[in-house]
Amino acid sequence: MESEGAESSVPAPVEVFSSIRERTIAENSMVVLLQGLQGEVTTVDLRNESTARGRVISVDAFMNIRLADVLYRDRRDQLTRLQDLFVTGRNVRYVHIPDHVDIMKTIQNQLSKIHRVRNFASEGGGRKEFPKKTK
Amino acid sequence: MVLLKNLQPPTEGIRHEQAETTAVMDGQRLGCGTLYVAETRLLWFDGSGLGFSLEYPTIGLHAISRDVSTYPQEHLYVMVNGKLSDENEAEMAEKAADDEDEDGSDDGEDDDQGTITEIRFVPSDKASLESMFSAMCECQALHPDPEDDDSDNDFEGEEYDVEEAEAEHGHSDIPSFYTCDEGLSALTQEGQATLERLEGMLAQSVAQQYHMAGVRTEETKADFEDGMEVDAAAMEAGQFEDADVEHW
């Protein structure tokens, strides 16, 4: 898997479009919505019945989620504070969308970001990626 | 009781190495050693070469814990799906699934059972926790879940084939390059005329190559209407004699 982008080790919101494949996956699934939650504080329910509430740093196309300043509640209801948390997409059951988030707008913003990345270089004669039109 | 096995340190793809790191597995202190965050797997072993390795797909989450009220030392917390067996850790997930699931079906069942192994890596250098964490994030991203049955991630057929897409789009404002045969038929009448004129110019300039480097300075033809001007006055005979005329 080619990955051009780099993840910053500083806990600040980062764009995680690191490969064409990831952009394709993201654009064609609801993960774009989660990617639009960067900077928001939300709760992630894990598949092992634990929950993690924190600020979304990044979400990649495979739904791996990085959170900061996390309150982690395990299955036994024990609370732990965690500075940084990375949960693999496979272990995510739910991601709570904060009430104030406009879902459609978030999705549209994320898609336009993807299209901007895709078209950015084309004006300068760079790489062109086009969605396949399924009519 | 976890049996540690003899392991070799990884030789390449090490994103982070942290010495003087204590490993604690499900509350049991295994000793002080070195943690290797390698692209292929996570390894830890003590000074005498005994240790364990973890496959990234089996790691459910990892985190930096600085909350000393929950655990007295700042550490890197790693939650592994399933139990580490005495056997090869790479087969750990399958083995755990066999043990717990009567159906013997996929790891999804095992996850729902919720059996996990909690590992804490306690480095002596607490400032290194961010680097350890970031290195693990990067390596995890290298191992996307292959058996993701929730989402339809089979986008192989829909990935962006530029040529294919251009053929479908047919937008005139998107520049594209034609091969000679295709291109000739795609020319308009005007385009055809321009092509002939340019080819004519090239043919003419070959004859003059010993005087000027392909630039016409004799009578300007009346049909050069495309605004191309040759400033004949500025040209001296032999000005370009030393130029390399083989320019096409």
Side-chain angles (χ1 to χ4, degrees):
Chain A
M1 175 170 133
E2 349 36 46
S3 183
E4 311 148 9
E7 286 230 339
S8 164
S9 54
V10 179
V14 287
E15 291 295 335
V16 205
F17 297 132
S18 48
S19 70
I20 296 177
R21 179 167 171 241
E22 287 195 38
R23 275 200 285 276
T24 315
I25 293 173
E27 189 185 30
N28 286 283
S29 82
M30 290 297 288
V31 122
V32 273
L33 172 58
L34 300 187
Q35 290 173 332
L37 293 182
Q38 282 178 26
E40 300 284 343
V41 175
T42 188
T43 302
V44 177
D45 289 5
L46 275 53
R47 278 167 71 162
N48 67 352
E49 317 293 331
S50 58
T51 68
R53 180 167 181 80
R55 187 162 36 90
V56 177
I57 299 297
S58 64
V59 179
D60 70 12
F62 309 106
M63 231 198 299
N64 296 322
I65 301 174
R66 186 165 160 178
L67 300 171
D69 301 327
V70 179
L71 196 62
Y72 180 76
R73 181 188 296 268
D74 70 14
R75 284 168 301 157
R76 292 173 238 103
D77 261 347
Q78 207 172 356
L79 285 174
T80 314
R81 298 208 85 90
L82 298 168
Q83 176 186 304
D84 262 297
L85 171 83
F86 179 99
V87 55
T88 54
R90 187 165 179 233
N91 285 265
V92 174
R93 178 175 287 147
Y94 301 121
V95 177
H96 295 242
I97 312 291
D99 288 339
H100 66 265
V101 168
D102 181 336
I103 292 179
M104 279 309 299
K105 209 176 223 173
T106 304
I107 293 178
Q108 279 160 358
N109 281 343
Q110 286 303 116
L111 289 177
S112 64
K113 277 183 197 167
I114 291 176
H115 296 152
R116 263 208 297 279
V117 168
R118 191 171 295 140
N119 293 328
F120 167 71
S122 71
E123 279 143 33
R127 178 204 316 163
K128 289 186 266 282
E129 308 161 34
F130 295 107
K132 223 178 127 167
K133 293 224 160 149
T134 45
K135 291 188 174 165
Chain B
M1 181 63 185
V2 176
L3 278 185
L4 305 182
K5 4 179 281 189
N6 271 301
L7 285 174
Q8 295 297 320
T11 48
E12 50 184 25
I14 299 176
R15 295 291 183 105
H16 188 91
E17 184 180 322
Q18 191 63 35
E20 293 183 22
T21 299
T22 303
V24 182
M25 189 178 294
D26 282 337
Q28 183 184 10
R29 192 176 178 280
L30 300 179
C32 190
T34 304
L35 175 70
Y36 295 89
V37 184
E39 289 168 0
T40 49
R41 58 190 66 185
L42 194 70
L43 291 108
W44 178 91
F45 55 103
D46 65 14
S48 60
L50 294 177
F52 62 92
S53 71
L54 299 173
E55 300 288 325
Y56 289 106
T58 65
I59 296 176
L61 64 87
H62 63 276
I64 296 177
S65 171
R66 294 202 189 270
D67 184 2
V68 292
S69 62
T70 321
Y71 190 84
Q73 301 249 43
E74 295 178 344
H75 62 279
L76 182 73
Y77 173 82
V78 176
M79 187 183 79
V80 180
N81 294 322
K83 282 288 176 206
L84 284 185
S85 65
D86 295 343
E87 323 235 340
N88 187 358
E89 275 73 22
E91 296 163 8
M92 173 195 80
E94 291 172 48
K95 199 177 188 336
D98 289 341
D99 287 346
E100 290 156 28
D101 208 41
E102 296 91 29
D103 300 350
S105 55
D106 63 4
D107 293 334
E109 299 289 342
D110 179 31
D111 286 345
D112 290 348
Q113 297 276 347
T115 305
I116 57 168
T117 302
E118 296 182 309
I119 304 177
R120 301 176 201 270
F121 293 107
V122 192
S124 58
D125 176 16
K126 307 306 180 194
S128 65
L129 283 172
E130 273 92 6
S131 306
M132 292 159 72
F133 176 83
S134 294
M136 279 195 67
C137 289
E138 289 166 18
C139 293
Q140 279 282 35
L142 298 173
H143 297 258
D145 183 18
E147 33 171 287
D148 190 348
D149 48 352
D150 284 345
S151 53
D152 187 8
N153 275 345
D154 182 18
F155 291 109
E156 291 304 315
E158 288 182 40
E159 275 194 40
Y160 299 124
D161 186 330
V162 177
E163 278 139 17
E164 217 179 303
E166 279 181 338
E168 284 186 29
H169 272 250
H171 283 170
S172 58
D173 56 335
I174 296 170
S176 52
F177 296 99
Y178 293 101
T179 61
C180 185
D181 296 338
E182 296 170 2
L184 284 178
S185 57
L187 278 180
T188 60
Q189 265 197 335
E190 233 175 63
Q192 196 76 28
T194 307
L195 177 63
E196 281 171 24
R197 189 195 320 158
L198 291 172
E199 284 185 335
M201 283 172 59
L202 282 175
Q204 290 277 354
S205 68
V206 171
Q208 293 178 46
Q209 68 183 339
Y210 296 108
H211 293 286
M212 299 291 170
V215 176
R216 291 184 61 100
T217 56
E218 296 180 343
E219 70 255 350
T220 48
K221 291 208 168 161
D223 58 349
F224 279 159
E225 287 167 6
D226 55 359
M228 190 171 65
E229 290 175 6
V230 178
D231 188 357
M235 299 293 179
E236 292 176 28
Q239 180 178 359
F240 297 116
E241 254 178 13
D242 55 354
D244 181 9
V245 297
E246 297 287 321
H247 60 272
W248 60 76

